[in-house]
Amino acid sequence: MAKNELNLGILAHVDAGKTTLTERLLYEAGAIDELGSVDAGTTQTDSLTLEQQRGITIKSAVASFALNDLHVNLIDTPGHPDFIAEVERVLSVLDGAVLVISGVEGVQPQTRILMRALERLRIPTLMFVNKIDRPGAGDERVVQALSERLTTAVVPMGTTHAIGTRAASFTLSSAEDPAFRARLAEVLAERNEELMAAYVEDESDLPDHVLRDALAAQTKLALVHPVFFGSAVTGAGLESLLAGIGDLLPASAGDPDGPVSGTAFKIERGASGEKIAYVRMFSGTIHMRERLGFGRGLEDKVTAITVFERGSAVQRPSVSAGAVAKLWGLSGIQVGDRIGEAGADESGHQFSPPTLESVVVAGHPDDRARLRVALAQLAEQDPLIDVRQDDTRQELSVSLYGEVQKEVIQATLANEFGLEVTFRKTTPIHIERPIGSGEAIELLHAESNPFLATIGLRIDPASDGSGIDFRLQVDARTVPLYIYKTLERFSERMDQYVRETLREGLFGWQVTDCIVTMTKCIYSVPDGPPSRRGPLSTAADFRKLTPLVLMQALERARTVVCEPIVRASVEIPTGAIGAVMAALARLDATVETPSLQGPLSMIEAVLPAAQAQYFQQQLAGLTGGEGVLDSSFAGYQPVSGDQPTRRASA
Ligand SMILES: Nc1nc2c(ncn2[C@@H]2O[C@H](COP(=O)(O)OP(=O)(O)OP(=O)(O)O)[C@@H](O)[C@H]2O)c(=O)[nH]1
Ligand SMILES: [Mg+2]
């Protein structure tokens, strides 16, 4: 395919109009002849029955259109915070993004969370202020909020007319408009020294094309963000936005002849239950019937390839760097898997993990086995639901972001698997951190050691948020290379055994923020001549002995249970400060001194996530409906009082 590809994410807070905008872009660009609507459940990208019933996007979806010689894959994402994991997986495959802001609701907490992630990953981003046709929509007000609350690097590209009415429209500013020129030159010069020198020399003398080129260059580097206005419903401003997408965002780079590298960002099941992987190609070319590796030692043969073209999927014999394709035949693949060589950057987690969990109970006890299979299938599409099985209680539980996700899982199990389930009460997911250091060793042939190996392990606390770090500190000659082939591979496997063990600490919670060091390793060999048998230890000895030793070490280190906390910024009428501070104190919050700004005041507080929802419920009453809460995940802190054991309440 000679065409340039642009993989473009549409991101925003819930209900900002992403799906409506996606539909409108497809329509304006000529990819569809009829405009669907979210409210009628007829859009291209809200194709799941559940999405149509609820009028919200649950899964990311891909559609495409052509813009001159550019082939654009649009990726519509969900805006509800319960489905943030869908956005996370999409971020790693984008060349650019359109961040949608509702002209009526303005910048929302979720908008900030998304923008921060886009900035961290340096994804070139245009902003689109939507819904200018709706009464109450703002333009300058919204731009001010963008620069105060998102980033100062915003450039409004034009002006609105008749805003707040059905006739609302948008016109691009001309390069001759002195106010536009001044703003453009100022923002761009701040980020480019040469331009700054020329600007200081003579502000009015910068040629138009220099400004235009600098705008495109800096937007492509994610240094500045052009702001467009319009309405996805009436189509106002869409032409300008389309032009911006074509001119200001970078087409994907990548060598079709290079080594194969891609990322699976979405998994779905076809009509007959077959697995379909959505893959963004970064390098190389995949052909039909080719065998592809995708991590965890797995590989499968590609049995079909389709790419997106003008809204529909088209079969192809191959797919190359830059494009997005659906691949059939990769039966072991999971969301997030990387295909081929480790080419794409590992972007890590951009958003906070789910902090809630709930036990899923099958309506009929006979359905338990089917439920386990169904949840495993859902986990392929969304690994963060992290299905766990409690063997003693015979219970299955999942991690959750919130109640809406829970309802969606319930409905999906009913609709797609014919399983009626109920959920137990949703409870917070705690973690355990080691308090001190602990070391343990099990010696080969010792009475306490049922396995044929010596393993010594030490666990030490590490900084908050650092996760689990495994280190090998043993004599390479004592490592069973006859099993693991290389030292790296042995280290990888030990790392894996350690992580599996630390999923359940002394109180049943995930242990994290620690360093685990292997200090001793010996394998068993026969007593010596005349025996000619080879070494006796197997991988199972190392796999099974690791948890025994590590749990002993952990007991010596001891652990503290920590609960998820959020940082809350509350904007309230100054008169309500006393009442709000008192409420926060009752909820175990640590409050920073409020800053008074005339009639409005800001309070910053850190409180347990479990309490934040109560605070949210009280806020309107305490502030006469004026209070605005902006809260974000802020890590974990030790619980006060008793150390809760996992699922003690069930
Ligand atoms: N008046 C007006 N309504 C709009 C506009 N864009 C979207 N809407 C309406 O806003 C509601 C939400 O639109 P969606 O397109 O579903 O929003 P979304 O951002 O995709 O929502 P989620 O995917 O659930 O986060 C629907 O009722 C749309 O008809 C607009 O430009 N003007
Ligand atoms: Mg949507």
Side-chain angles (χ1 to χ4, degrees), residues 470-521:
F470 173 75
R471 295 173 188 179
L472 204 56
Q473 221 171 68
V474 296
D475 187 334
R477 285 168 305 184
T478 65
V479 169
L481 292 182
Y482 67 93
I483 307 175
Y484 295 96
K485 309 288 184 265
T486 65
L487 205 56
E488 287 73 45
R489 195 148 166 79
F490 176 65
S491 182
E492 263 170 43
R493 283 302 146 96
M494 279 304 300
D495 185 314
Q496 185 190 332
Y497 306 155
V498 162
R499 277 169 206 278
E500 276 161 19
T501 307
L502 293 181
R503 278 173 63 112
E504 274 186 41
L506 305 178
F507 299 89
W509 305 102
Q510 169 78 53
V511 179
T512 186
D513 300 338
C514 57
I515 301 166
V516 175
T517 311
M518 183 168 202
T519 53
K520 197 87 189 161
C521 168

Short mmCIF file of all heavy atoms in Angstrom, two decimals, residues 470-521:
data_model
loop_
_atom_site.label_atom_id
_atom_site.label_comp_id
_atom_site.label_asym_id
_atom_site.label_seq_id
_atom_site.Cartn_x
_atom_site.Cartn_y
_atom_site.Cartn_z
N PHE A 470 13.17 -8.22 40.49
CA PHE A 470 13.85 -9.47 40.81
C PHE A 470 15.32 -9.40 40.38
O PHE A 470 15.62 -8.94 39.28
CB PHE A 470 13.17 -10.67 40.13
CG PHE A 470 13.94 -11.95 40.30
CD1 PHE A 470 13.92 -12.60 41.52
CD2 PHE A 470 14.70 -12.46 39.27
CE1 PHE A 470 14.67 -13.77 41.71
CE2 PHE A 470 15.44 -13.63 39.45
CZ PHE A 470 15.42 -14.28 40.67
N ARG A 471 16.20 -9.84 41.26
CA ARG A 471 17.64 -9.82 40.93
C ARG A 471 18.26 -11.18 41.21
O ARG A 471 17.93 -11.83 42.19
CB ARG A 471 18.35 -8.77 41.77
CG ARG A 471 17.87 -7.38 41.41
CD ARG A 471 18.43 -6.34 42.34
NE ARG A 471 17.77 -5.07 42.05
CZ ARG A 471 18.02 -3.96 42.70
NH1 ARG A 471 18.89 -3.95 43.69
NH2 ARG A 471 17.38 -2.86 42.39
N LEU A 472 19.20 -11.53 40.34
CA LEU A 472 19.90 -12.80 40.49
C LEU A 472 21.28 -12.51 41.05
O LEU A 472 22.03 -11.74 40.47
CB LEU A 472 20.01 -13.42 39.09
CG LEU A 472 20.17 -14.91 38.97
CD1 LEU A 472 19.04 -15.64 39.67
CD2 LEU A 472 20.21 -15.28 37.49
N GLN A 473 21.60 -13.11 42.22
CA GLN A 473 22.91 -12.87 42.81
C GLN A 473 23.52 -14.21 43.20
O GLN A 473 23.74 -14.47 44.37
CB GLN A 473 22.74 -11.98 44.05
CG GLN A 473 23.79 -10.91 44.20
CD GLN A 473 23.40 -9.96 45.32
OE1 GLN A 473 23.40 -10.36 46.48
NE2 GLN A 473 23.05 -8.73 44.98
N VAL A 474 23.69 -15.05 42.19
CA VAL A 474 24.22 -16.38 42.47
C VAL A 474 25.37 -16.68 41.52
O VAL A 474 25.51 -16.05 40.47
CB VAL A 474 23.13 -17.47 42.30
CG1 VAL A 474 22.02 -17.28 43.30
CG2 VAL A 474 22.58 -17.47 40.88
N ASP A 475 26.16 -17.64 41.90
CA ASP A 475 27.26 -18.08 41.05
C ASP A 475 26.67 -18.76 39.80
O ASP A 475 25.90 -19.70 39.91
CB ASP A 475 28.09 -19.10 41.87
CG ASP A 475 29.36 -19.48 41.13
OD1 ASP A 475 29.37 -19.40 39.89
OD2 ASP A 475 30.33 -19.86 41.82
N ALA A 476 27.03 -18.25 38.63
CA ALA A 476 26.44 -18.76 37.39
C ALA A 476 26.67 -20.26 37.23
O ALA A 476 25.87 -20.96 36.61
CB ALA A 476 27.02 -18.01 36.19
N ARG A 477 27.74 -20.78 37.85
CA ARG A 477 28.05 -22.21 37.70
C ARG A 477 27.06 -23.12 38.43
O ARG A 477 27.00 -24.30 38.19
CB ARG A 477 29.47 -22.49 38.20
CG ARG A 477 30.54 -22.00 37.24
CD ARG A 477 31.89 -22.04 37.90
NE ARG A 477 31.87 -21.26 39.16
CZ ARG A 477 32.93 -21.05 39.92
NH1 ARG A 477 34.09 -21.55 39.59
NH2 ARG A 477 32.84 -20.34 41.03
N THR A 478 26.30 -22.51 39.38
CA THR A 478 25.37 -23.34 40.15
C THR A 478 23.96 -23.29 39.59
O THR A 478 23.03 -23.86 40.14
CB THR A 478 25.34 -22.89 41.62
OG1 THR A 478 24.82 -21.56 41.67
CG2 THR A 478 26.73 -22.91 42.23
N VAL A 479 23.79 -22.57 38.48
CA VAL A 479 22.46 -22.44 37.86
C VAL A 479 22.21 -23.64 36.93
O VAL A 479 23.10 -24.02 36.18
CB VAL A 479 22.39 -21.12 37.07
CG1 VAL A 479 21.15 -21.06 36.19
CG2 VAL A 479 22.42 -19.93 38.02
N PRO A 480 21.02 -24.24 37.00
CA PRO A 480 20.75 -25.43 36.17
C PRO A 480 20.53 -25.06 34.71
O PRO A 480 19.41 -25.05 34.21
CB PRO A 480 19.47 -26.00 36.79
CG PRO A 480 18.78 -24.82 37.39
CD PRO A 480 19.86 -23.88 37.84
N LEU A 481 21.64 -24.78 34.03
CA LEU A 481 21.53 -24.37 32.62
C LEU A 481 21.07 -25.51 31.73
O LEU A 481 20.57 -25.29 30.64
CB LEU A 481 22.87 -23.82 32.13
CG LEU A 481 23.28 -22.49 32.76
CD1 LEU A 481 24.58 -21.99 32.17
CD2 LEU A 481 22.19 -21.44 32.57
N TYR A 482 21.23 -26.76 32.22
CA TYR A 482 20.76 -27.88 31.40
C TYR A 482 19.24 -27.86 31.28
O TYR A 482 18.67 -28.45 30.38
CB TYR A 482 21.26 -29.22 31.97
CG TYR A 482 20.66 -29.57 33.31
CD1 TYR A 482 19.52 -30.37 33.38
CD2 TYR A 482 21.22 -29.07 34.49
CE1 TYR A 482 18.96 -30.68 34.60
CE2 TYR A 482 20.66 -29.37 35.71
CZ TYR A 482 19.52 -30.18 35.77
OH TYR A 482 18.96 -30.47 36.97
N ILE A 483 18.55 -27.13 32.20
CA ILE A 483 17.09 -26.99 32.08
C ILE A 483 16.74 -25.69 31.34
O ILE A 483 15.92 -25.67 30.44
CB ILE A 483 16.41 -26.90 33.47
CG1 ILE A 483 16.81 -28.07 34.37
CG2 ILE A 483 14.88 -26.83 33.32
CD1 ILE A 483 16.25 -27.95 35.80
N TYR A 484 17.39 -24.60 31.75
CA TYR A 484 16.94 -23.28 31.30
C TYR A 484 17.76 -22.71 30.14
O TYR A 484 17.51 -21.61 29.69
CB TYR A 484 16.96 -22.30 32.48
CG TYR A 484 15.96 -22.67 33.56
CD1 TYR A 484 16.34 -23.41 34.67
CD2 TYR A 484 14.63 -22.28 33.46
CE1 TYR A 484 15.42 -23.74 35.66
CE2 TYR A 484 13.70 -22.61 34.43
CZ TYR A 484 14.11 -23.35 35.54
OH TYR A 484 13.20 -23.68 36.50
N LYS A 485 18.80 -23.42 29.71
CA LYS A 485 19.63 -23.03 28.56
C LYS A 485 20.51 -21.80 28.82
O LYS A 485 21.71 -21.87 28.66
CB LYS A 485 18.79 -22.78 27.29
CG LYS A 485 17.84 -23.91 26.95
CD LYS A 485 18.57 -25.14 26.42
CE LYS A 485 17.62 -26.22 26.00
NZ LYS A 485 17.36 -27.23 27.03
N THR A 486 19.90 -20.65 29.18
CA THR A 486 20.74 -19.47 29.41
C THR A 486 20.43 -18.88 30.78
O THR A 486 19.36 -19.13 31.35
CB THR A 486 20.48 -18.37 28.36
OG1 THR A 486 19.14 -17.90 28.54
CG2 THR A 486 20.66 -18.87 26.94
N LEU A 487 21.37 -18.07 31.24
CA LEU A 487 21.21 -17.40 32.53
C LEU A 487 20.01 -16.45 32.50
O LEU A 487 19.24 -16.35 33.45
CB LEU A 487 22.50 -16.62 32.84
CG LEU A 487 22.79 -16.36 34.32
CD1 LEU A 487 22.84 -17.65 35.12
CD2 LEU A 487 24.12 -15.61 34.46
N GLU A 488 19.84 -15.78 31.35
CA GLU A 488 18.72 -14.83 31.21
C GLU A 488 17.39 -15.56 31.34
O GLU A 488 16.46 -15.09 31.99
CB GLU A 488 18.74 -14.14 29.83
CG GLU A 488 19.82 -13.10 29.64
CD GLU A 488 21.18 -13.75 29.50
OE1 GLU A 488 21.29 -14.76 28.75
OE2 GLU A 488 22.14 -13.30 30.16
N ARG A 489 17.34 -16.70 30.71
CA ARG A 489 16.10 -17.46 30.72
C ARG A 489 15.79 -17.96 32.14
O ARG A 489 14.65 -17.93 32.59
CB ARG A 489 16.23 -18.64 29.75
CG ARG A 489 14.93 -19.26 29.42
CD ARG A 489 14.91 -19.82 28.01
NE ARG A 489 13.75 -20.68 27.89
CZ ARG A 489 12.53 -20.22 27.71
NH1 ARG A 489 12.32 -18.93 27.58
NH2 ARG A 489 11.51 -21.05 27.63
N PHE A 490 16.82 -18.39 32.84
CA PHE A 490 16.64 -18.82 34.23
C PHE A 490 16.11 -17.64 35.06
O PHE A 490 15.16 -17.76 35.83
CB PHE A 490 17.96 -19.33 34.80
CG PHE A 490 17.89 -19.69 36.25
CD1 PHE A 490 17.09 -20.75 36.69
CD2 PHE A 490 18.61 -18.97 37.21
CE1 PHE A 490 17.01 -21.08 38.04
CE2 PHE A 490 18.53 -19.30 38.56
CZ PHE A 490 17.73 -20.35 38.97
N SER A 491 16.74 -16.49 34.85
CA SER A 491 16.35 -15.29 35.58
C SER A 491 14.89 -14.92 35.28
O SER A 491 14.11 -14.59 36.17
CB SER A 491 17.30 -14.15 35.20
OG SER A 491 16.97 -13.00 35.91
N GLU A 492 14.52 -15.01 33.99
CA GLU A 492 13.13 -14.71 33.58
C GLU A 492 12.14 -15.63 34.27
O GLU A 492 11.10 -15.21 34.76
CB GLU A 492 12.98 -14.95 32.08
CG GLU A 492 13.12 -13.72 31.20
CD GLU A 492 13.20 -14.15 29.73
OE1 GLU A 492 12.44 -15.06 29.30
OE2 GLU A 492 14.05 -13.60 29.06
N ARG A 493 12.49 -16.93 34.29
CA ARG A 493 11.57 -17.90 34.90
C ARG A 493 11.47 -17.71 36.40
O ARG A 493 10.39 -17.75 36.97
CB ARG A 493 12.03 -19.34 34.58
CG ARG A 493 11.68 -19.75 33.18
CD ARG A 493 10.18 -19.63 32.96
NE ARG A 493 9.86 -19.23 31.60
CZ ARG A 493 9.55 -20.07 30.63
NH1 ARG A 493 9.48 -21.34 30.88
NH2 ARG A 493 9.28 -19.60 29.43
N MET A 494 12.60 -17.46 37.07
CA MET A 494 12.58 -17.23 38.51
C MET A 494 11.75 -15.98 38.81
O MET A 494 10.96 -15.95 39.75
CB MET A 494 14.01 -17.05 39.04
CG MET A 494 14.77 -18.34 39.28
SD MET A 494 13.93 -19.51 40.39
CE MET A 494 13.81 -18.54 41.88
N ASP A 495 11.95 -14.95 37.99
CA ASP A 495 11.18 -13.71 38.12
C ASP A 495 9.69 -14.05 38.06
O ASP A 495 8.89 -13.58 38.88
CB ASP A 495 11.59 -12.79 36.97
CG ASP A 495 10.96 -11.41 37.04
OD1 ASP A 495 9.74 -11.34 37.29
OD2 ASP A 495 11.67 -10.41 36.86
N GLN A 496 9.34 -14.90 37.12
CA GLN A 496 7.93 -15.30 36.96
C GLN A 496 7.42 -16.07 38.19
O GLN A 496 6.34 -15.79 38.70
CB GLN A 496 7.85 -16.16 35.71
CG GLN A 496 6.47 -16.57 35.28
CD GLN A 496 6.56 -17.62 34.18
OE1 GLN A 496 7.51 -17.68 33.40
NE2 GLN A 496 5.55 -18.48 34.13
N TYR A 497 8.22 -17.02 38.71
CA TYR A 497 7.79 -17.78 39.90
C TYR A 497 7.60 -16.84 41.09
O TYR A 497 6.67 -16.99 41.88
CB TYR A 497 8.82 -18.85 40.29
CG TYR A 497 9.23 -19.83 39.19
CD1 TYR A 497 10.47 -20.47 39.23
CD2 TYR A 497 8.38 -20.10 38.12
CE1 TYR A 497 10.85 -21.36 38.23
CE2 TYR A 497 8.78 -21.00 37.12
CZ TYR A 497 10.01 -21.61 37.17
OH TYR A 497 10.40 -22.48 36.19
N VAL A 498 8.52 -15.86 41.19
CA VAL A 498 8.46 -14.90 42.30
C VAL A 498 7.18 -14.07 42.20
O VAL A 498 6.44 -13.89 43.16
CB VAL A 498 9.71 -13.99 42.29
CG1 VAL A 498 9.51 -12.73 43.10
CG2 VAL A 498 10.92 -14.77 42.80
N ARG A 499 6.89 -13.59 40.99
CA ARG A 499 5.68 -12.77 40.80
C ARG A 499 4.42 -13.56 41.10
O ARG A 499 3.47 -13.04 41.70
CB ARG A 499 5.60 -12.23 39.38
CG ARG A 499 6.41 -11.00 39.20
CD ARG A 499 6.57 -10.56 37.76
NE ARG A 499 7.79 -9.81 37.68
CZ ARG A 499 7.91 -8.52 37.99
NH1 ARG A 499 6.84 -7.83 38.34
NH2 ARG A 499 9.07 -7.91 37.94
N GLU A 500 4.40 -14.82 40.67
CA GLU A 500 3.22 -15.64 40.95
C GLU A 500 3.03 -15.79 42.46
O GLU A 500 1.92 -15.70 42.96
CB GLU A 500 3.36 -17.01 40.28
CG GLU A 500 2.90 -16.97 38.84
CD GLU A 500 3.43 -18.13 38.01
OE1 GLU A 500 3.84 -19.15 38.59
OE2 GLU A 500 3.43 -17.99 36.76
N THR A 501 4.13 -16.00 43.16
CA THR A 501 4.05 -16.17 44.62
C THR A 501 3.54 -14.90 45.28
O THR A 501 2.70 -14.95 46.19
CB THR A 501 5.44 -16.52 45.19
OG1 THR A 501 5.96 -17.63 44.48
CG2 THR A 501 5.35 -16.83 46.67
N LEU A 502 4.05 -13.75 44.82
CA LEU A 502 3.72 -12.48 45.49
C LEU A 502 2.31 -11.99 45.19
O LEU A 502 1.90 -10.96 45.68
CB LEU A 502 4.77 -11.42 45.14
CG LEU A 502 6.18 -11.70 45.70
CD1 LEU A 502 7.13 -10.58 45.32
CD2 LEU A 502 6.16 -11.87 47.22
N ARG A 503 1.57 -12.72 44.37
CA ARG A 503 0.17 -12.33 44.14
C ARG A 503 -0.64 -12.42 45.43
O ARG A 503 -1.65 -11.77 45.58
CB ARG A 503 -0.47 -13.24 43.07
CG ARG A 503 -0.13 -12.79 41.65
CD ARG A 503 -0.63 -13.81 40.65
NE ARG A 503 -2.08 -13.93 40.68
CZ ARG A 503 -2.90 -13.54 39.71
NH1 ARG A 503 -2.41 -13.00 38.63
NH2 ARG A 503 -4.19 -13.72 39.82
N GLU A 504 -0.21 -13.25 46.34
CA GLU A 504 -0.90 -13.36 47.63
C GLU A 504 0.09 -13.32 48.77
O GLU A 504 0.83 -14.25 48.99
CB GLU A 504 -1.68 -14.68 47.69
CG GLU A 504 -3.04 -14.55 47.10
CD GLU A 504 -3.86 -15.81 47.29
OE1 GLU A 504 -3.79 -16.39 48.39
OE2 GLU A 504 -4.54 -16.20 46.33
N GLY A 505 0.06 -12.22 49.51
CA GLY A 505 0.99 -12.06 50.63
C GLY A 505 0.43 -12.64 51.92
O GLY A 505 -0.47 -13.48 51.91
N LEU A 506 0.97 -12.15 53.01
CA LEU A 506 0.62 -12.72 54.32
C LEU A 506 -0.85 -12.50 54.66
O LEU A 506 -1.44 -13.26 55.42
CB LEU A 506 1.51 -12.11 55.41
CG LEU A 506 3.02 -12.24 55.17
CD1 LEU A 506 3.80 -11.56 56.29
CD2 LEU A 506 3.41 -13.71 55.04
N PHE A 507 -1.45 -11.44 54.10
CA PHE A 507 -2.86 -11.16 54.36
C PHE A 507 -3.73 -11.46 53.13
O PHE A 507 -4.89 -11.07 53.06
CB PHE A 507 -3.05 -9.71 54.79
CG PHE A 507 -2.31 -9.38 56.06
CD1 PHE A 507 -0.99 -8.93 56.02
CD2 PHE A 507 -2.91 -9.53 57.30
CE1 PHE A 507 -0.29 -8.64 57.19
CE2 PHE A 507 -2.22 -9.24 58.48
CZ PHE A 507 -0.91 -8.79 58.42
N GLY A 508 -3.13 -12.08 52.13
CA GLY A 508 -3.88 -12.45 50.93
C GLY A 508 -3.85 -11.43 49.81
O GLY A 508 -4.40 -11.66 48.74
N TRP A 509 -3.20 -10.27 50.03
CA TRP A 509 -3.16 -9.24 48.98
C TRP A 509 -1.88 -9.32 48.17
O TRP A 509 -0.88 -9.88 48.64
CB TRP A 509 -3.24 -7.84 49.62
CG TRP A 509 -4.41 -7.63 50.51
CD1 TRP A 509 -4.40 -7.66 51.88
CD2 TRP A 509 -5.76 -7.41 50.12
NE1 TRP A 509 -5.67 -7.44 52.34
CE2 TRP A 509 -6.53 -7.28 51.29
CE3 TRP A 509 -6.40 -7.28 48.89
CZ2 TRP A 509 -7.90 -7.05 51.28
CZ3 TRP A 509 -7.77 -7.05 48.87
CH2 TRP A 509 -8.50 -6.93 50.05
N GLN A 510 -1.91 -8.72 47.00
CA GLN A 510 -0.72 -8.61 46.16
C GLN A 510 0.40 -7.92 46.95
O GLN A 510 0.19 -6.86 47.52
CB GLN A 510 -1.07 -7.77 44.93
CG GLN A 510 0.11 -7.33 44.08
CD GLN A 510 0.61 -8.45 43.18
OE1 GLN A 510 -0.14 -9.04 42.45
NE2 GLN A 510 1.91 -8.72 43.27
N VAL A 511 1.59 -8.54 46.95
CA VAL A 511 2.75 -7.89 47.57
C VAL A 511 3.49 -7.11 46.49
O VAL A 511 3.69 -7.62 45.39
CB VAL A 511 3.71 -8.93 48.18
CG1 VAL A 511 4.92 -8.25 48.81
CG2 VAL A 511 2.98 -9.80 49.18
N THR A 512 3.86 -5.89 46.80
CA THR A 512 4.55 -5.10 45.78
C THR A 512 5.54 -4.13 46.43
O THR A 512 5.72 -4.15 47.65
CB THR A 512 3.53 -4.35 44.89
OG1 THR A 512 4.25 -3.72 43.83
CG2 THR A 512 2.76 -3.31 45.67
N ASP A 513 6.18 -3.31 45.61
CA ASP A 513 7.17 -2.34 46.05
C ASP A 513 8.28 -3.02 46.85
O ASP A 513 8.51 -2.69 48.03
CB ASP A 513 6.49 -1.21 46.85
CG ASP A 513 5.45 -0.50 45.99
OD1 ASP A 513 5.56 -0.58 44.76
OD2 ASP A 513 4.52 0.12 46.55
N CYS A 514 8.92 -3.96 46.21
CA CYS A 514 9.97 -4.71 46.89
C CYS A 514 11.02 -5.19 45.89
O CYS A 514 10.78 -5.22 44.69
CB CYS A 514 9.37 -5.91 47.62
SG CYS A 514 8.46 -7.01 46.54
N ILE A 515 12.18 -5.55 46.44
CA ILE A 515 13.22 -6.17 45.64
C ILE A 515 13.40 -7.59 46.15
O ILE A 515 13.54 -7.80 47.35
CB ILE A 515 14.55 -5.40 45.79
CG1 ILE A 515 14.37 -3.94 45.36
CG2 ILE A 515 15.66 -6.08 44.97
CD1 ILE A 515 15.50 -3.04 45.78
N VAL A 516 13.35 -8.55 45.25
CA VAL A 516 13.58 -9.94 45.63
C VAL A 516 14.91 -10.38 45.02
O VAL A 516 15.10 -10.25 43.81
CB VAL A 516 12.44 -10.86 45.16
CG1 VAL A 516 12.77 -12.31 45.47
CG2 VAL A 516 11.12 -10.45 45.78
N THR A 517 15.81 -10.83 45.86
CA THR A 517 17.12 -11.24 45.36
C THR A 517 17.30 -12.74 45.60
O THR A 517 17.06 -13.23 46.70
CB THR A 517 18.24 -10.48 46.12
OG1 THR A 517 17.91 -9.10 46.12
CG2 THR A 517 19.58 -10.69 45.44
N MET A 518 17.74 -13.43 44.57
CA MET A 518 18.06 -14.84 44.73
C MET A 518 19.52 -14.93 45.17
O MET A 518 20.42 -14.48 44.46
CB MET A 518 17.86 -15.60 43.42
CG MET A 518 18.12 -17.08 43.57
SD MET A 518 17.54 -17.97 42.13
CE MET A 518 17.34 -19.61 42.80
N THR A 519 19.73 -15.47 46.36
CA THR A 519 21.07 -15.45 46.94
C THR A 519 21.77 -16.80 46.85
O THR A 519 22.97 -16.90 47.05
CB THR A 519 20.99 -15.05 48.43
OG1 THR A 519 20.05 -15.92 49.07
CG2 THR A 519 20.54 -13.62 48.59
N LYS A 520 21.01 -17.84 46.61
CA LYS A 520 21.61 -19.17 46.57
C LYS A 520 20.84 -20.05 45.60
O LYS A 520 19.61 -19.98 45.53
CB LYS A 520 21.55 -19.79 47.97
CG LYS A 520 22.45 -20.96 48.17
CD LYS A 520 23.85 -20.49 48.60
CE LYS A 520 24.83 -21.65 48.60
NZ LYS A 520 26.21 -21.18 48.55
N CYS A 521 21.57 -20.88 44.86
CA CYS A 521 20.92 -21.77 43.91
C CYS A 521 21.83 -22.98 43.69
O CYS A 521 23.00 -22.82 43.32
CB CYS A 521 20.72 -21.02 42.59
SG CYS A 521 20.27 -22.09 41.23
#
